Amino acid sequence: MARQKELKLYRNIGIIAHIDAGKTTTTERVLYYTGRKHQIIEVHDTKDGKGSTTTDYLEQERKRGITIQSAAVSTEWKGYQINVIDTPGHVDFTIEVNRSLRVLDGAVVVFDGVAGVEPQTETNWRLANQYNVPRICYVNKMDRMGANFGHCVKGIRERLGANALLCQIPIGSHDEFVGMVDLVAGVGYVWTADDKDSPWETVPMDQLAGRFTFASSADNQWLADLPKLREDMLETALAMDDDAFMNYVETGEFDPAKLKECIRLGSVTGKLVPVFCGSSFKNKGVQQLLDAVIDYLPYPGQNGGISLVDEDGNNVGEQEVRDDAPARALAFKVINDQFGSLTFIRIYSGVIKKGDSLANVTRGKKERVGRIVEVQANQTKDIEEARAGDICALVSMRETETGDSLCDPAHPALLERMRFPDPVISVSVEPKTRGDQDKMSQALYKMAKADPSLKLEVDHETGQTVLRGMGELHLEVTIDRMRTELGVDANMGKPKVSFREAFGQSVEHIYTHKKQTGGSGQFAEVKIRFEPGETGSGVQWVDEVTGGRIPREYIPSVEHAIRTECKSGQVAGYEVVDFRAVLLDGKFHEVDSSALAFEIAGRAAFREAHKLSRPKLLEPMMRIEVVVDSDYLGDVIGDINRRRGQVVEQGQKGTSSFVQGFVPLAEMFGYISFLRSATSGRGTFTMEFDRYSEVPNSMVEKMMEKEGR
Ligand SMILES: Nc1nc2c(ncn2[C@@H]2O[C@H](COP(=O)(O)OP(=O)(O)OP(=O)(O)O)[C@@H](O)[C@H]2O)c(=O)[nH]1
Ligand SMILES: [Mg+2]
């Protein structure tokens, strides 16, 4: 079957933002206006469980009124195929934004017109920078009291460092918000009603200031400034093309098609970030936003292809996005339920057909493509083939996990990997019904496989099953989804911080393992130097033994011993990270030495050396932002200091005050109750992992004492 639609007529885009900015509400409008659905469901009307928006279909999403997992929908607008991924804004589900951005070609960043740039917008913006995803901004909620376009644009420029290009200007705000000026076309769009089907009137730009007088002087000023704003936009945009710019400077004329081309070039290369506005809830500006997606966001491959890497992640080339090349795709999401699994892939090159065999290059395994489906949120439709640029799902893959490369077996290649966040919090989990341990373990394993920001472990000492994740909500939702999706009920213990341990200083240590009891004895001696490594450097193993001082066959046992023993450190049994272990020397005995003896020696050497190194304990340090009425600011700051925190910035956000700072996660449990009671329920906060930082010595000693070490 030939290609149905030219690649240039594709847009794969993500919708990203801070929690509650209106991503799902906007997606719902996109589906309505493009004719994909006939009824709009509001996010806040789904709590009774009767209805659901298309993309927030999970029970946990409906009940809480928030998005938890990214959902993909496809639609058509003016002959273009638009694939949209609606992502969650809550920090606990950042992995969903992460994996979506990895496979998308462009993004719409949504802002709450009142709150402006919020912490999670900054995080998602940084992620989009990392993955080089071009974006446009949409200042939503212009109908809310306190909506402030200027403040939001200032945030986009200053906090996000974007070269914002104002393509639209709002006409009025709050209950006087009636539409927007399109500076590119030089006209205003004015609505007379909020209804989803109400049409807009196109008004020449120079008539707007005469026609409207608003209660807010700022709103009037925007209209008075329109000629200047348009001039600024034209100059910035046309500067993308020397000839067009010179022509404009000399004659004051420009070709409208050329202008759009310039904005598109600026946006696709990341030099410009076009800004739009509207109110999705009041049905204003969504169609215009769709036009902008087509006009200014790239088609698959327009920005280059995907990097190919070697096993160590080094760049070794690039795969262009084209059909006539070997099939290469990246698995970016796996969903499980009682009926099987769906593996979402983004195809970068070639064609994948039903019945094909693919190589999972990441795992060195073969996979057969039984069924290919197009996914519309929670609905699937079987298709025969999919090709370069497509996002689709494969049914019941056996070996493939998130982040794996799937390729034509004759042309294997590894595609650039995805990066996953570190889990910082853990809970013990036990089955609700005794005897269901196996069932629960299998279900948890499935959940963890589908979500790379979850880790499943067994506590060495207590034998308890431990689940690690990004935050309390993340773990709670995981356990709840296990119940609704896999039918397994479990109880969670109290959440705990995931500490880590490290070597305090370099230590050279000799350990001799000797046992002579009757018959054959055991003998092994190792001399190892342990050195603290840089953050994120992992465990590095170096073998410097020369002259057969330890026979070759025993050395892997020492390495294995170190790599397993480091899972439990000497401060409080947490994993020891970021160190180099250099095996320097050793001794053996012709008869009594064995792999086991060397393993025992390696383990003991590690334990003793770690204890001798004045080990450090590391704790997750969170970046927090608290937004409160200014009356409560003093209390909130005092409390942050009591929690071993540090305030780095405070200021005004609209009519509220905000404080930003760092607080150890260990001190943040139950923070929401404090904030509620301290601010009469009006304060809000967001918290996000920033780094691991050293726990003060006095606390380490206390902990070691408590653990009896
Ligand atoms: N006044 C007003 N409210 C809006 C607008 N857009 C969305 N909302 C409301 O804001 C709330 C959050 O909207 P959502 O669409 O769920 O926001 P989201 O960005 O998808 O949130 P998460 O997925 O949880 O991050 C809902 O109650 C919406 O009805 C808008 O343009 N104006
Ligand atoms: Mg949402």
Side-chain angles (χ1 to χ4, degrees), residues 626-631 633 650-659:
V626 189
V627 179
V628 287
D629 282 355
S630 34
D631 296 352
L633 201 60
Q650 47 176 300
Q652 281 298 115
K653 251 193 185 176
T655 52
S656 307
S657 295
F658 75 91
V659 193

Side-chain angles (χ1 to χ4, degrees), residues 56-77:
D56 284 356
Y57 58 83
L58 289 182
E59 180 184 315
Q60 291 74 14
E61 300 183 305
R62 281 184 278 145
K63 274 198 194 139
R64 291 184 163 84
I66 61 167
T67 304
I68 287 169
Q69 65 169 0
S70 51
V73 287
S74 306
T75 193
E76 272 197 26
W77 182 247

Side-chain angles (χ1 to χ4, degrees), residues 225-394:
D225 288 344
L226 285 175
K228 166 88 177 75
L229 288 162
R230 183 154 205 245
E231 184 69 38
D232 288 351
M233 186 280 296
L234 287 172
E235 279 181 9
T236 313
L238 291 169
M240 298 303 299
D241 180 307
D242 289 346
D243 291 343
F245 185 73
M246 284 320 290
N247 185 44
Y248 177 65
V249 173
E250 281 161 18
T251 65
E253 310 237 315
F254 64 90
D255 169 10
K258 189 82 204 169
L259 172 62
K260 279 196 174 172
E261 243 175 67
C262 283
I263 302 177
R264 182 176 179 78
L265 180 67
S267 162
V268 167
T269 53
K271 291 188 181 127
L272 297 176
V273 180
V275 179
F276 303 85
C277 63
S279 161
S280 296
F281 184 55
K282 296 283 171 75
N283 306 302
K284 297 186 180 78
V286 177
Q287 292 100 320
Q288 285 74 8
L289 183 66
L290 277 165
D291 289 344
V293 164
I294 287 169
D295 287 341
Y296 307 131
L297 286 177
Y299 59 82
Q302 186 177 5
N303 237 353
I306 170 102
S307 300
L308 303 178
V309 294
D310 63 15
E311 287 197 349
D312 296 325
N314 302 313
N315 220 321
V316 293
E318 192 180 271
Q319 172 62 56
E320 274 179 69
V321 180
R322 0 191 284 247
D323 288 356
D324 56 348
R328 285 176 174 160
L330 186 84
F332 66 96
K333 186 173 168 120
V334 180
I335 296 187
N336 292 300
D337 62 20
Q338 273 141 319
F339 310 108
S341 73
L342 272 187
T343 305
F344 285 73
I345 59 169
R346 154 79 198 247
I347 305 178
Y348 285 92
S349 60
V351 181
I352 294 179
K353 293 195 176 70
K354 211 168 118 172
D356 277 356
S357 280
L358 293 175
N360 179 328
V361 186
T362 313
R363 285 171 209 285
K365 299 268 169 78
K366 272 240 162 93
E367 287 273 23
R368 216 186 82 84
V369 179
R371 281 170 62 203
I372 311 177
V373 293
E374 223 174 61
V375 182
Q376 187 75 0
N378 56 348
Q379 311 278 332
T380 58
K381 189 178 122 201
D382 277 80
I383 50 174
E384 293 298 312
E385 62 168 48
R387 39 182 73 227
D390 280 340
I391 289 176
C392 60
L394 307 178

Side-chain angles (χ1 to χ4, degrees), residues 23-24 56 66-67 86-88:
K23 300 173 288 294
T24 303
D56 284 356
I66 61 167
T67 304
D86 174 24
T87 66

Side-chain angles (χ1 to χ4, degrees), residues 1 38 44 84 122 148 220 225 232 247 281 303 388 415 423 453 463 471 484 489-490 501-502 557 560 611 632 640:
M1 196 168 65
H38 302 293
H44 46 251
V84 180
E122 291 185 51
N148 187 335
N220 294 325
D225 288 344
D232 288 351
N247 185 44
F281 184 55
N303 237 353
L415 309 183
S453 60
T484 51
D489 242 351
E501 298 186 21
S557 306
H560 175 74
K611 201 161 186 175
Y632 303 117
I640 289 178

